[in-house]
Amino acid sequence: MTPTGGGEEPREPDATMQLKQLKVPDSPTADETMQLRVPSPDGADAGGEPEISGTTVPSGAEPSHRIRSGGTTGRPGRRRSRNPRKAPAPSLRSRLAAAPHLASLLGALAALAARLAPYARRVRPQYPRPGRTGLRRWLPSWRQWLGASLAGVGLGGLFLTVAYAATDIPDNLNSYATQQDNVYFWADGTPMARTGWVQRQAMSLKNIPADVRWAVLAAENESFYSDPGISFKGISRALLRTLGQGDTQGGSTITQQYVKNVYLNQDQTVRRKLTEAMIALKLDNRMSKDEILESYLNTSWFGRGTYGIQRAAQAYYGKDVDDLNASEAAFLASLLKGAGLYDPTLSSANRARAEERWSWTLDRMVEIGKLSKAERATYRKFPEPLESNPLYDTGEQSDYLVELASQYAKKAGKISEKDFDLGGYQIYTTFDKEREKQLTDAVTEAREKTSKDHPKTAKAAHYGAASVAADGRILAVYGGPDHRKQGYNESNASTVPAGSAFMPFVYAAGLEHGVRRTRDGETAPVTGDSLYNGDDDVPVTTPEGPYWDRGGRKVAASNDGDESYGQISLHRALELSVNTPFMQLGMDTGLDKVRATAEASGLLPSSIGAQVPALSTGSSTPSAIRMASGYSTFAAAGKHTEPYSVRRITHNGSGVPLDLPDPSRAVRADVAEEVTSALTDAFRTAHPDDAPATAQVAGKVGTTQDDNAAWYVGTHESVSTAVVVYRIDLAKSLEPLPLEGIAGAAGDSVPYRIWFGATRPLG
């Protein structure tokens, strides 16, 4: 090859032997060089070709100098470049030549294109169209229209196929779609409170009446069981409205609405709507129609803070979904159109819309054959919903009830903390709504009076109270003024001694086990007529003599007011609350037996005092709930049932096995009868005019030697109520403080007034 003049490139004899001129940069750099590889004839990279700059070297030439940029000749170049440049990638033509099969395929395609070219030219629109005049010159032919339509359908189908294949059902649902709340009910079945961020309760489809299901389907998607999960007509209309300025509501099947609720968001965009349609198609192939409908009914928004048909039924009608009729269901179905527009309690305009939609839904149910005309005729009056959602959380007394019930539910239902927090539980409690109100009102009245009469000492005053039935049901508690301000539950606190209110357990132990006064003597029976020394400060004796404490002093009991009674029967001593006979009776019976009897009657082992003579005069620290439970044992003829606050639990409508307590024998029936008789006389003696002669009332005051607690525990018609008043400054310590008069006088104590107010009327 011979070089051409003027820097022109030489001709290329073939595809493998070629030189390309490299231009030197305009701004010279001292040490920069431009190197050029001359490919060898066999295509190998010749790593030792000469390096030149700003010139062209004919094939086969061997330059002996490296030309510096700027035209300056440098030293003879004997070294190869340390960083030789790689050969340029082979051209497309050379790659095709190296792949004969691919070249053959391309040749065949080219031949096919040549054969189709005349037809393509005929289909290709030419404007203006030759051989036509007027407007027809500018209109495509029918062949062109048909081709364009088919191409559009084909491309659209291809796009949908690719979109369907590329769209996956998300693994994670929206957080609110799976969250549920736990709802607590009063003993009469009415809602009491709920816990959780979301008001939602899933229900099995079998527990949702057919009228409710078909009311929703008639209002939202009557072809649900026959459609493929999407509505092509509805999607087209929704897309046009989304792209335009119109209404964005409507056009979605129930499957699409479910997808939007639990997988996507509420954005009105084309992308979201297409994604919604693709997921709906896949869900319709993966889930049964009943599964989709159940999920939809359990996740839809119904207003008033509720998700799901179950919570909607409770929020608007105060009943479970299985108690709804077709008329109520038709109203709830209207809320799916937009709860803020159809809740009639919000505005008169809402009411008009709700009534119209309700009537239309019932008519649609008739048209599709899911409601008879005769039944439709009975629903002429709009089913008025409740003014407000009864599923509320007061934050006051109901929170103390919820605290007790949730603790018991998890224990008795064997529900883990994690599962319980996920929600979905309906807890049916034992709490009596009317009794709870009476007890709360009575304590509130006493609090206010104490605050007025004793403003200084009343600040540290605490009032615990509880009512327990003979069968163990906790009917009412007073835990404090407000759970949000004081989480400390005063009805369940083992803080202060029971004092003389503990005496019935000592009496029951003596009657049950008898007494032994000498070390080797036999056990002698004890009755209510058995006499004991009732004088004040009588030393306590053992078979060996006086009982000495660790300080070397004789232990003696002291009566209230230091009063002495001489020889007195045990029945009378309990009636008058005389301490000294019962301290000695405990020693004679055996403090271990006293302890066992108290525990068998319902007091917790952890609250029982030390096994010393003071145990018999009330050194134990039971809670109000446990004291009421203990006294209820006597009302139950000596059988004790552990107190419980939950009678039934369901999870999403299905029952949860619950370990409810069984009664056990604590003392003999005759023993319980005698203790109850003495307590009845105690009530009659202290309060002769507070109950008619026919009333089944028994009760006893409880005082402590250090005046740091005041009790009243009594039973009325097999329901025992315990009330305790004490003082503790929670900001400083848990040590009880002296009452300093806030508990009232012995004959008319504050605990008794609360008890009396909580149990009225006594008939």
Side-chain angles (χ1 to χ4, degrees):
M1 177 185 300
T2 58
T4 59
E8 295 180 0
E9 290 193 17
R11 295 180 181 178
E12 299 183 13
D14 53 47
T16 60
M17 296 296 293
Q18 53 181 322
L19 284 173
K20 294 185 179 179
Q21 179 178 359
L22 299 180
K23 295 181 180 179
V24 178
D26 293 336
S27 55
T29 305
D31 294 322
E32 287 185 349
T33 62
M34 300 296 290
Q35 68 181 11
L36 175 69
R37 288 192 184 90
V38 181
S40 64
D42 59 357
D45 186 6
E49 310 89 339
E51 301 170 302
I52 63 174
S53 178
T55 187
T56 303
V57 179
S59 176
E62 296 182 1
S64 60
H65 296 82
R66 177 176 298 159
I67 308 301
R68 300 286 182 177
S69 58
T72 305
T73 303
R75 296 178 182 177
R78 296 182 180 180
R79 293 185 304 171
R80 294 182 181 179
S81 172
R82 294 181 180 178
N83 298 302
R85 298 180 64 184
K86 294 183 180 178
S91 65
L92 178 61
R93 183 182 300 174
S94 62
R95 288 199 299 269
L96 292 177
H101 297 292
L102 183 59
S104 299
L105 177 61
L106 291 177
L109 291 176
L112 178 62
R115 295 182 61 183
L116 294 177
Y119 299 98
R121 283 194 294 269
R122 294 178 60 186
V123 175
R124 183 181 63 188
Q126 298 180 14
Y127 293 96
R129 289 176 63 194
R132 300 290 188 273
T133 60
L135 182 61
R136 295 181 61 192
R137 298 179 63 196
W138 302 96
L139 295 178
S141 67
W142 68 269
R143 295 184 183 89
Q144 294 168 344
W145 279 114
L146 178 61
S149 299
L150 292 176
V153 171
L155 290 174
L158 178 63
F159 172 76
L160 291 177
T161 301
V162 172
Y164 181 84
T167 303
D168 294 325
I169 299 176
D171 294 329
N172 297 324
L173 302 178
N174 289 337
S175 59
Y176 65 81
T178 55
Q179 289 179 344
Q180 299 187 67
D181 56 0
N182 294 323
V183 178
Y184 299 78
F185 298 88
W186 294 103
D188 62 3
T190 57
M192 180 183 77
R194 70 174 185 88
T195 59
W197 292 103
V198 175
Q199 289 193 39
R200 192 176 80 84
Q201 198 79 57
M203 294 292 288
S204 172
L205 193 64
K206 65 182 180 181
N207 294 326
I208 301 176
D211 281 347
V212 177
R213 285 179 266 160
W214 280 106
V216 172
L217 293 176
E220 294 293 309
N221 185 191
E222 64 184 64
S223 63
F224 169 73
Y225 280 100
S226 60
D227 64 40
I230 64 173
S231 168
F232 294 101
K233 180 180 178 181
I235 290 174
S236 301
R237 184 169 61 250
L239 287 174
L240 289 174
R241 289 174 175 174
T242 300
L243 293 172
Q245 304 264 336
D247 179 18
T248 58
Q249 297 292 329
S252 296
T253 65
I254 277 180
T255 307
Q256 290 175 258
Q257 292 181 50
Y258 170 64
V259 169
K260 180 175 65 175
N261 288 343
V262 302
Y263 292 116
L264 305 175
N265 53 46
Q266 305 300 315
D267 294 343
Q268 300 293 334
T269 63
V270 173
R271 180 176 181 179
R272 201 273 297 157
K273 290 183 181 295
L274 289 175
T275 304
E276 171 191 302
M278 295 302 104
I279 296 177
L281 281 172
K282 286 197 170 184
L283 273 183
D284 197 72
N285 291 328
R286 182 176 299 182
M287 298 172 64
S288 70
K289 288 290 188 179
D290 282 349
E291 289 174 331
I292 294 173
L293 180 59
E294 177 183 305
S295 299
Y296 171 74
L297 291 174
N298 283 322
T299 56
S300 294
W301 167 255
F302 285 87
R304 295 193 177 184
T306 62
Y307 289 89
I309 192 70
Q310 167 72 352
R311 280 293 170 272
Q314 294 168 342
Y316 288 92
Y317 291 107
K319 60 177 69 174
D320 290 334
V321 65
D322 55 1
D323 293 327
L324 294 175
N325 58 37
S327 178
E328 294 164 337
F331 164 70
L332 293 182
S334 70
L335 297 171
L336 294 168
K337 191 73 172 172
L341 298 174
Y342 289 89
D343 186 344
T345 62
L346 299 180
S347 68
S348 58
N350 274 21
R351 182 179 182 82
R353 279 190 291 264
E355 289 191 24
E356 180 182 3
R357 183 76 175 173
W358 160 78
S359 180
W360 176 84
T361 300
L362 289 175
D363 291 340
R364 290 294 301 152
M365 292 178 69
V366 174
E367 291 177 20
I368 64 177
K370 298 303 177 181
L371 186 68
S372 68
K373 292 183 178 180
E375 187 176 1
R376 172 65 179 93
T378 63
Y379 299 133
R380 294 299 178 189
K381 185 178 180 181
F382 180 70
E384 294 290 346
L386 300 174
E387 285 295 324
S388 61
N389 188 348
L391 298 174
Y392 61 87
D393 182 1
T394 66
E396 297 179 355
Q397 282 306 302
S398 69
D399 280 4
Y400 293 108
L401 306 181
V402 165
E403 180 184 61
L404 288 174
S406 63
Q407 291 173 353
Y408 188 84
K410 286 179 280 190
K411 178 181 178 181
K414 296 181 175 63
I415 305 170
S416 68
E417 290 279 354
K418 178 181 178 181
D419 289 341
F420 197 79
D421 289 343
L422 288 176
Y425 291 93
Q426 302 89 39
I427 298 96
Y428 296 86
T429 73
T430 60
F431 302 126
D432 185 291
K433 194 173 186 177
E434 292 301 320
R435 285 185 179 273
E436 179 65 29
K437 184 178 184 305
Q438 277 192 226
L439 181 60
T440 301
D441 290 346
V443 177
T444 301
E445 183 180 347
R447 271 187 180 278
E448 292 174 352
K449 188 176 188 304
T450 302
S451 297
K452 182 179 179 180
D453 297 342
H454 306 275
K456 292 184 179 180
T457 53
K459 293 180 180 179
H462 296 270
Y463 302 75
S467 295
V468 180
D471 59 4
R473 290 174 296 127
I474 301 176
L475 302 180
V477 301
Y478 181 87
D482 189 335
H483 189 274
R484 293 177 181 174
K485 298 178 181 178
Q486 177 189 290
Y488 171 73
N489 190 336
E490 295 169 350
S491 71
N492 201 32
S494 299
T495 306
V496 294
S500 55
F502 187 83
M503 288 181 186
F505 303 109
V506 183
Y507 190 25
L511 295 173
E512 179 77 14
H513 300 287
V515 297
R516 179 181 293 175
R517 294 188 174 90
T518 62
R519 178 179 294 278
D520 299 325
E522 295 183 357
T523 300
V526 169
T527 68
D529 294 329
S530 298
L531 298 177
Y532 270 75
N533 190 342
D535 288 342
D536 188 49
D537 289 335
V538 175
V540 177
T541 62
T542 68
E544 287 78 17
Y547 184 93
W548 303 82
D549 64 14
R550 292 183 178 181
R553 294 167 296 186
K554 291 182 179 180
V555 175
S558 177
N559 294 326
D560 289 344
D562 298 331
E563 189 172 352
S564 294
Y565 295 86
Q567 292 295 307
I568 188 172
S569 69
L570 291 175
H571 183 106
R572 181 68 172 169
L574 185 61
E575 174 187 340
L576 299 179
S577 193
V578 183
N579 294 334
T580 52
F582 288 98
M583 182 175 281
Q584 186 60 54
L585 176 63
M587 298 299 295
D588 294 344
T589 303
L591 295 179
D592 58 335
K593 294 182 175 61
V594 172
R595 179 189 181 97
T597 301
E599 291 179 5
S601 299
L603 272 61
L604 292 175
S606 59
S607 70
I608 303 298
Q611 208 160 290
V612 296
L615 174 67
S616 298
T617 53
S619 62
S620 299
T621 58
S623 66
I625 292 176
R626 286 293 170 171
M627 280 296 282
S629 175
Y631 273 55
S632 71
T633 299
F634 305 130
K639 286 188 175 182
H640 171 67
T641 304
E642 278 290 289
Y644 64 98
S645 55
V646 178
R647 56 187 176 83
R648 183 165 68 94
I649 302 175
T650 61
H651 184 253
N652 295 336
S654 300
V656 175
L658 190 64
D659 291 338
L660 293 179
D662 295 321
S664 60
R665 175 65 63 184
V667 294
R668 299 191 310 271
D670 61 303
V671 171
E673 183 179 359
E674 168 55 29
V675 174
T676 300
S677 174
L679 291 173
T680 299
D681 290 342
F683 176 85
R684 298 290 180 184
T685 300
H687 312 283
D689 301 325
D690 287 352
T694 57
Q696 300 177 7
V697 187
K700 185 184 184 310
V701 69
T703 57
T704 61
Q705 186 173 358
D706 296 331
D707 189 37
N708 53 18
W711 291 79
Y712 194 87
V713 189
T715 303
H716 174 231
E717 293 183 350
S718 75
V719 175
S720 297
T721 300
V723 181
V724 60
V725 177
Y726 56 96
R727 289 181 67 238
I728 289 180
D729 189 344
L730 295 174
K732 296 181 178 180
S733 72
L734 292 178
E735 287 298 319
L737 302 173
L739 291 171
E740 297 183 5
I742 68 169
D748 186 28
S749 68
V750 171
Y752 173 74
R753 289 202 299 269
I754 293 173
W755 180 90
F756 184 74
T759 55
R760 288 180 299 175
L762 298 177

